[in-house]
């Protein structure tokens, strides 16, 4: 795709092309940092001798800070400068990735990942707002099309890129390479113009604190529940705190003159239906991207490179079908396609229960492609539909809320499914290992954790007796597979139950006068980094 150019205007715009390059290079790293890390988790667990809960925070910590700070960072960018916040965010991401690459302790790795997530939260909305300022009319539409394509590339190619890096270098390269790219983006700083939002804005500190705190407590409780026990005070306390902070967040936002979340938008059936749709779809997709590589590693013995390539069956359609969905809107309404996308994810999750140890790629090709197609259709429609569901003056706020809910849904989905996988695997192993001559015979919980880390070999290599090792592996692998099957049925049921509700909520039309967000005209309002619209 040719790089779109925009006319130079007053205000210090030095190079639209290099600004676009800087924003796209940075933005491709953020989804890649989620999907790529999932492939590296088994190697990280082995090298750092990490427990399962600590290992899961390598993904959860990044998602939490990404989701929790994205709107607040956007507001800050409007106040102090979008270029400044974009560069600071990119630098934070790079520093976090570099520290993660050299970490010899899983706690340091987790902290570094949280720092990278905060950096991504700062850089993504401010970079998007920079593009809106630099480009006009059709050039702006082409710039955002390229921007969206790069984000999709990071999501779709992350597993395969990470697999190649881990197999040929080490898991550390999964973080080192993005760090190098992030620092290269900073070299383009002189060519990026500065801009700010309208005067009078401010950062919603109370809303940010209560929202982020609630999300952290929820995910902490979900991750630690299987390890400590669901009745443990360190689990019940955070879950109760989540409820309290969530209620406080609602109260705070309803009293704000300029809320981070305009909760009145949730009274609009169509917008609410789109929010439900995106959260259901990420529940059926994001956890699979994170946890399937561990399954392929533990049960089928695939290398990181093989696991990453296998996962392409799930992620590759997300590159193609957003364009297909956009073209189909000439004949099939967006609402109908969104309902179909949820159904496709439901059928795909149910169909994926054919997965078995040693089943091969062909067995899972159909269901993984079907899930990817459903997700790809939704990627092409949901953001624009969310903007179109409100009047033009509120499209920025709607888009900001929608994307925050998407990221929060991903963080919650990954934590929920991780918790269910551990719980179901432990249940499946209960009483089945006692007949084996191994130190792990009376440690089914530890074996379940190793399975979910993608490392069955550690326990299997301690089994003594002819033929006993393979029997142990088969027992453990089938328990793990049974847990995955149960989770897949839960995800499929969630999607199926949501379909009538989504169809009912999306039955209305887009807001009267709402302007499509995908291709703004020369005089269209410019979205601010915070998700508002600057006239």
């Amino acid at each position: 795709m040719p790089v779109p150019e925009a006319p130079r205007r007053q205000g210090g715009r030095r190079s639209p092309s290099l600004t676009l390059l800087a924003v796209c290079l940075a933005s491709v790293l953020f989804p890649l940092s989620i999907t790529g890390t999932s492939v590296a988790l088994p190697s990280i667990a082995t090298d750092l001798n990490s427990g399962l809960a600590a290992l899961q925070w390598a993904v959860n910590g990044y998602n939490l800070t990404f989701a929790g700070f994205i709107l607040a960072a956007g507001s800050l960018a409007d106040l102090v400068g979008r270029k400044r916040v974009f560069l600071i965010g990119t630098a934070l991401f790079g520093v976090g990735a570099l520290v993660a690459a050299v970490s010899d302790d899983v706690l340091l790795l987790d902290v570094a990942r949280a720092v990278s997530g905060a950096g991504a939260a700062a850089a993504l909305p401010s970079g998007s707002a920079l593009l809106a300022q630099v480009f006009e009319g059709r050039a702006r539409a082409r710039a955002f099309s390229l921007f969206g394509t790069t984000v999709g590339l990071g999501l779709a190619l992350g597993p395969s890129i990470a697999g190649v890096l881990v197999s040929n270098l080490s898991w550390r390269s999964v973080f080192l390479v993005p760090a190098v790219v992030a620092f290269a983006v900073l070299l383009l700083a002189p060519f990026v113009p500065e801009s700010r939002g309208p005067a009078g804005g401010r950062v919603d500190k109370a809303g940010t604190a209560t929202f982020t705190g609630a999300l952290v407590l929820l995910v902490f409780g979900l991750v630690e529940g299987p390890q400590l026990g669901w009745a443990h005070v360190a689990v019940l306390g955070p879950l109760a705190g989540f409820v309290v902070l969530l209620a406080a967040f609602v109260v705070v936002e309803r009293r704000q003159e300029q809320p981070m979340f305009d909760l009145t938008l949730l009274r609009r059936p169509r917008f609410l239906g789109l929010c439900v749709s995106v959260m259901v779809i990420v529940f059926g997709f994001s956890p699979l991207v994170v946890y399937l590589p561990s399954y392929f590693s533990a049960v089928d013995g695939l290398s990181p490179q093989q696991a990453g390539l296998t996962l392409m069956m799930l992620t590759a359609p997300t590159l193609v079908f957003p364009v297909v969905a956009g073209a189909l809107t000439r004949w099939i309404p967006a609402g109908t396609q969104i309902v179909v996308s949820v159904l496709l994810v439901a059928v795909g999750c149910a169909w994926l229960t054919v997965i078995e140890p040693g089943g091969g790629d062909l067995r899972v090709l159909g269901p993984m492609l079907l899930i990817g197609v459903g997700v790809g259709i939704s990627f092409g429609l949901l953001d624009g539909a969310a903007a179109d569901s409100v009047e033009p003056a509120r499209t920025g706020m709607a888009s900001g809320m929608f994307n925050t809910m998407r990221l929060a849904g991903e963080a919650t989905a990954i934590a929920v499914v991780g918790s269910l996988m551990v719980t179901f695997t432990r249940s499946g192993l209960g009483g089945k290992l006692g007949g084996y001559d191994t130190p792990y015979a009376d440690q089914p919980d530890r074996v379940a954790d190793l399975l979910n880390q993608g490392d069955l070999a550690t326990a299997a290599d301690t089994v003594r007796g002819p033929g006993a090792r393979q029997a142990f592996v088969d027992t453990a692998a089938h328990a793990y597979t049974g847990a995955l099957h149960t989770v897949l049925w839960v995800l499929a049921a969630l999607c199926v139950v949501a379909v009538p509700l989504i169809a009912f909520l999306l039955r209305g039309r887009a807001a009267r006068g709402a302007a499509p967000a995908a291709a703004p005209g020369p005089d269209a309002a410019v979205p601010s980094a915070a998700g508002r619209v600057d006239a």
Side-chain angles (χ1 to χ4, degrees), residues 87-113:
L87 296 176
I88 291 173
T90 302
L92 270 180
F93 176 89
V95 168
L98 182 60
V99 172
V102 301
S103 295
D104 287 323
D105 178 79
V106 70
L107 177 60
L108 179 60
L109 173 67
D110 293 342
V111 172
R113 291 284 293 155

Side-chain angles (χ1 to χ4, degrees), residues 272-360:
L272 178 60
L274 294 167
C275 290
V276 173
S277 301
V278 75
M279 296 194 75
V280 168
I281 286 171
V282 299
F283 256 86
F285 176 73
S286 299
L288 299 183
V289 175
V290 172
Y291 296 120
L292 280 180
S294 294
Y295 178 87
F296 294 140
S297 177
V299 173
D300 293 329
L302 299 188
S303 68
Q305 182 171 334
Q306 292 170 326
L309 290 173
T310 302
L311 207 63
M312 284 285 291
M313 295 186 290
L314 180 67
T315 59
T318 64
L319 275 179
V320 178
F321 278 87
V323 177
V324 174
L328 287 176
T329 54
R330 299 177 182 177
W331 303 283
I332 306 174
T336 301
Q337 290 194 60
I338 291 169
V339 172
V340 170
S341 72
V342 178
L343 279 172
L344 290 176
V345 173
V347 174
C349 287
W351 188 6
L352 191 53
T353 57
V354 300
I355 193 170
E356 293 288 347

Side-chain angles (χ1 to χ4, degrees), residues 74-430:
S75 297
L76 184 64
D78 289 340
L79 289 175
V80 305
R82 291 150 181 170
K83 172 184 176 179
R84 179 179 300 178
V85 173
F86 172 74
L87 296 176
I88 291 173
T90 302
L92 270 180
F93 176 89
V95 168
L98 182 60
V99 172
V102 301
S103 295
D104 287 323
D105 178 79
V106 70
L107 177 60
L108 179 60
L109 173 67
D110 293 342
V111 172
R113 291 284 293 155
V115 170
S116 285
L124 188 64
S126 53
S128 175
L130 281 172
L131 294 184
Q133 287 286 350
V134 169
F135 294 98
E136 294 181 338
R138 294 181 178 177
R140 186 188 296 169
R142 291 194 297 270
F144 274 100
S145 176
L146 188 58
F147 171 75
T149 299
T150 58
V151 172
L153 281 171
L155 176 68
L157 301 183
S160 58
I161 293 172
V164 171
L165 291 174
V166 175
S167 294
N168 294 282
L169 297 172
S170 77
W171 64 264
R172 298 181 185 278
S173 61
V174 173
F175 304 113
L176 182 59
V177 170
V180 171
V181 175
F183 293 138
V185 169
L186 299 180
L187 299 178
L188 298 173
F191 306 99
V192 178
E194 183 59 284
S195 70
R196 288 178 172 81
R202 63 184 181 83
V203 177
D204 183 0
K205 297 177 182 177
T208 301
T210 51
F211 177 78
T212 306
L215 195 58
V216 168
L217 291 177
L218 173 63
V219 173
F220 181 87
L222 292 171
V223 171
E224 297 295 336
Q227 308 299 324
L228 301 176
W230 292 104
H232 197 284
V233 65
V235 175
L236 293 178
L239 293 178
F242 157 72
V243 175
V244 172
L245 284 182
L246 185 63
F249 170 71
V250 172
V251 172
V252 166
E253 293 304 285
R254 292 182 67 178
R255 293 180 177 179
Q256 295 277 8
E257 291 184 6
Q258 294 182 337
M260 183 173 71
F261 266 58
D262 185 353
L263 297 175
T264 61
L265 289 179
L266 296 179
R267 300 174 185 171
R268 298 171 179 243
R270 188 171 180 82
F271 183 76
L272 178 60
L274 294 167
C275 290
V276 173
S277 301
V278 75
M279 296 194 75
V280 168
I281 286 171
V282 299
F283 256 86
F285 176 73
S286 299
L288 299 183
V289 175
V290 172
Y291 296 120
L292 280 180
S294 294
Y295 178 87
F296 294 140
S297 177
V299 173
D300 293 329
L302 299 188
S303 68
Q305 182 171 334
Q306 292 170 326
L309 290 173
T310 302
L311 207 63
M312 284 285 291
M313 295 186 290
L314 180 67
T315 59
T318 64
L319 275 179
V320 178
F321 278 87
V323 177
V324 174
L328 287 176
T329 54
R330 299 177 182 177
W331 303 283
I332 306 174
T336 301
Q337 290 194 60
I338 291 169
V339 172
V340 170
S341 72
V342 178
L343 279 172
L344 290 176
V345 173
V347 174
C349 287
W351 188 6
L352 191 53
T353 57
V354 300
I355 193 170
E356 293 288 347
D361 293 348
L362 290 179
R363 175 172 289 197
V364 298
L365 175 61
M368 290 178 72
L369 284 177
L370 196 63
I371 296 170
V373 169
V375 173
I377 291 172
S378 72
F379 280 3
L381 299 173
L382 283 171
D383 290 272
D388 289 349
S389 66
V390 300
E391 60 273 16
R394 305 180 78 184
T395 55
M397 172 61 77
S399 297
M401 283 183 61
F402 183 77
N403 281 295
T404 299
M405 294 186 73
R406 186 208 308 269
L407 290 169
E410 287 181 357
T412 305
I414 290 169
V416 168
V417 169
S419 176
L420 291 176
M421 284 294 297
V422 177
T423 301
F424 293 151
T425 305
R426 289 180 174 182
S427 176
L429 286 173

